[in-house]
Amino acid sequence: AVHGLLGLVSSFLLPTVCCWALARYVLGVSLSYILHCVYLELMLKVRRSLCNEGAANPAPPPLTREQRAAPLRGVRVRTPQSYTTCGQTLPPSKKVSTLYSKGMPVGEELDYPHSGHSGRPAREELACGAVEDDAWRERLQCLREGAEVHRQVRQYLQQQVRPGLELRGLAEMVEKGTAVAVGFDPKQPLRRGWAFPTGLSLNEVAAHDTVNPGDPSRWLKPNDVLKVDFGVQVEGHILDCAFSLSFDPMHDELMQAVQDATNEGIRCSGPDALVAEIGGSIREVMEAGEVHRPDGTVFPVKSIKNLTGHSIAPYRIHAGKSLPSVNTGGSVRMLCGELWAIETFGSVGGVGYVTGLGNCSHFMRPSTDPPSKLQRSALSESALSLLEIIDHRFSTLAFCPRWLVQEAARCKSPLLKGCDQRWWSAPLNELCNIGVVNRYPPLADLPGAYTAQYEHTVLLGPRGKEVLTRGMDY
C-alpha cells in the first residue's frame, strides 16, 4: 500500500504540483488559465480545419444605393463643422502643435476608485516614484500632443470611410494624416511619427493585420466589422488607441459590449490594482452581452482569452506587463506613473481565442542590440542592408513591409533594384529566422466569426488617471 501511494505521488501529484508552480511563479498565471488556453487552441485548430475558407475577391463588392449611404456604426461621427473649429482642415494639413499655443487638450481626467484593489496611498507612494517635476510635465505634453493627433486623424477617417473602399487606401489615409499632424521629419525619423503599423483587421481577424506590397486588393464590405488600430509617438512617448466600425446594425451589440468592457477596465485601473482582478471585471461586463440576429438566433459575446492590454514604455509598445480580459490568477499590479494601453477584444460565433493566420505584416526588433558574430555570419548582404534601414528608421518601434519599401525608396537603397514588389520578403525572413526581428502575424478566431476591439491609452498619475486618447467619438 505504501509503495502504491508513493507511486501515485510520483506519477500524478508531483507533476501536477510542478506544473502549478511553473504556472504560478514562472509564468505568473494560474494553471487553470493555461489549461483552458490549451483546450481553446486545440478546439480552434480542429474547427478551423473543418471550415471552408473562401478565396478573397479581388474585385470591389457591388453596392446598392442604400449600402453606399449607410451610416457608420461603432463610433459617434464628428461633423466637418465641429472638426474644423480648432483650425484643422479636412484632410489634416496642419501640425497639431501649431494649433494649440496655450497647451495641448487634456484627456478625460478621472479619480481612482476607493474600493477593493485600489486606494492605499501609503503603498502607492512607496511603489510609484512619479513626481510631477519638469520631466513629468514634458512627458505629459508629449503624450497629450500624440493623443490629439490620434483624435484628429481617426475622426477624419470616420468621416471618410464608406463601404467599397480599398483597405490600402484607408491605411494611406491614416498614415498621411498622422505624418502631417504630428510633424514627421524623415531626417529625424525617431523623434515623432507612427508608432506601429496601421492595423486594419476584418471580421474574424482581431489584430495585427495590414496591407503588404503585392497583396491582392481587399475591399470593405457592408456587413464587415473592421478594427482600426494605429499609434502615434512623440519623442518616443507612444499613444496606442483603437476602435471598431461597421455599417451593419447586426454588429451593434458586439461593439457595444466590447466598448463597455474597455470602459470597465479603465474604471478599475489605478495604482496597486491587480491586473488579474481587472481582467475578471472586464470579462464579466463583456460576456454579459448578447448578439441578437435578425433570424432570432442569439449568440453570446466571448472575451478573447489570449489578447491583452499592456504597459507602454518609451519606444517600446509592450513594456512587460499585460492586462488580460479574464482573471488569470496572476499577482502583477499596476503602479503609479505607468502608461497603459487598456484594450479588450470580443468575439461572436467563434471560440474566444485567436491564433496566427495568413501573411505576416507586423514586425519589430526586440532590442537595439546588434547581431552577434554568429548571427552576422548567417546573414546575407541584403539582410544586413535591410537591418541598417530598420535600425535607422524604426529602432524598436514596430513596422510593416510597406514602410520598408517607402524608406528604401527615400534613401535610394540598392535593395530596390529590379521590379519585384516583394524584394523585402527574403532578407526580412532571414532576420526573423535568426531572432534579430520578431514576427507578429494576424491573429484570428474561426472563419465566419466576428470580432471587435476598443482601446485607450491611460496614464496613472499621482493624483488621478488621465484617459489621454478619449474623444467625443468613443
Side-chain angles (χ1 to χ4, degrees), residues 180-191:
V180 170
V182 80
F184 172 70
D185 181 1
K187 295 180 180 178
Q188 296 178 303
L190 296 178
R191 282 200 60 194

Side-chain angles (χ1 to χ4, degrees), residues 38-85:
V38 170
Y39 165 74
L40 289 175
E41 181 154 355
L42 290 174
M43 185 167 64
L44 177 58
K45 288 181 177 179
V46 171
R47 292 182 62 181
R48 186 181 284 165
S49 68
L50 299 176
C51 293
N52 293 319
E53 298 186 46
N57 187 355
L63 299 172
T64 65
R65 181 180 300 177
E66 291 76 14
Q67 289 172 330
R68 292 183 185 277
L72 185 68
R73 316 182 81 90
V75 293
R76 292 179 292 275
V77 181
R78 198 169 182 180
T79 64
Q81 294 78 13
S82 170
Y83 181 89
T84 55
T85 53

Side-chain angles (χ1 to χ4, degrees), residues 202-365:
L202 284 171
N203 301 330
E204 74 270 14
V205 181
H208 295 173
D209 197 12
T210 194
V211 182
N212 279 339
D215 281 358
S217 297
R218 288 184 288 168
W219 311 83
L220 187 60
K221 299 188 289 295
N223 62 342
D224 285 339
V225 57
L226 175 68
K227 282 71 64 184
V228 181
D229 187 353
F230 69 99
V232 181
Q233 65 92 7
V234 177
E235 303 292 347
H237 300 292
I238 296 174
L239 283 301
D240 185 1
C241 188
F243 61 96
S244 298
L245 63 88
S246 181
F247 302 92
D248 193 324
M250 79 170 178
H251 299 307
D252 288 353
E253 292 165 313
L254 167 63
M255 293 189 291
Q256 188 61 55
V258 179
Q259 191 170 355
D260 290 344
T262 297
N263 287 332
E264 176 68 9
I266 293 170
R267 187 189 69 81
C268 295
S269 64
D272 207 32
L274 278 167
V275 296
E277 290 184 0
I278 299 175
S281 299
I282 288 171
R283 182 180 186 179
E284 184 177 355
V285 169
M286 189 182 300
E287 298 193 349
E290 292 180 334
V291 172
H292 299 78
R293 293 286 167 78
D295 61 1
T297 308
V298 179
F299 289 93
V301 177
K302 297 179 181 179
S303 176
I304 297 181
K305 312 301 184 296
N306 60 329
L307 286 176
T308 70
H310 47 90
S311 57
I312 303 174
Y315 294 105
R316 197 167 293 278
I317 186 63
H318 290 259
K321 294 183 179 180
S322 297
L323 174 60
S325 293
V326 294
N327 191 335
T328 60
S331 58
V332 175
R333 294 180 184 270
M334 292 181 170
L335 299 179
C336 189
E338 289 181 335
L339 186 67
W340 280 84
I342 297 183
E343 61 181 322
T344 67
F345 297 81
S347 175
V348 166
V351 301
Y353 193 87
V354 292
T355 57
L357 181 72
N359 293 328
C360 187
S361 59
H362 285 50
F363 301 85
M364 186 169 65
R365 287 269 275 137

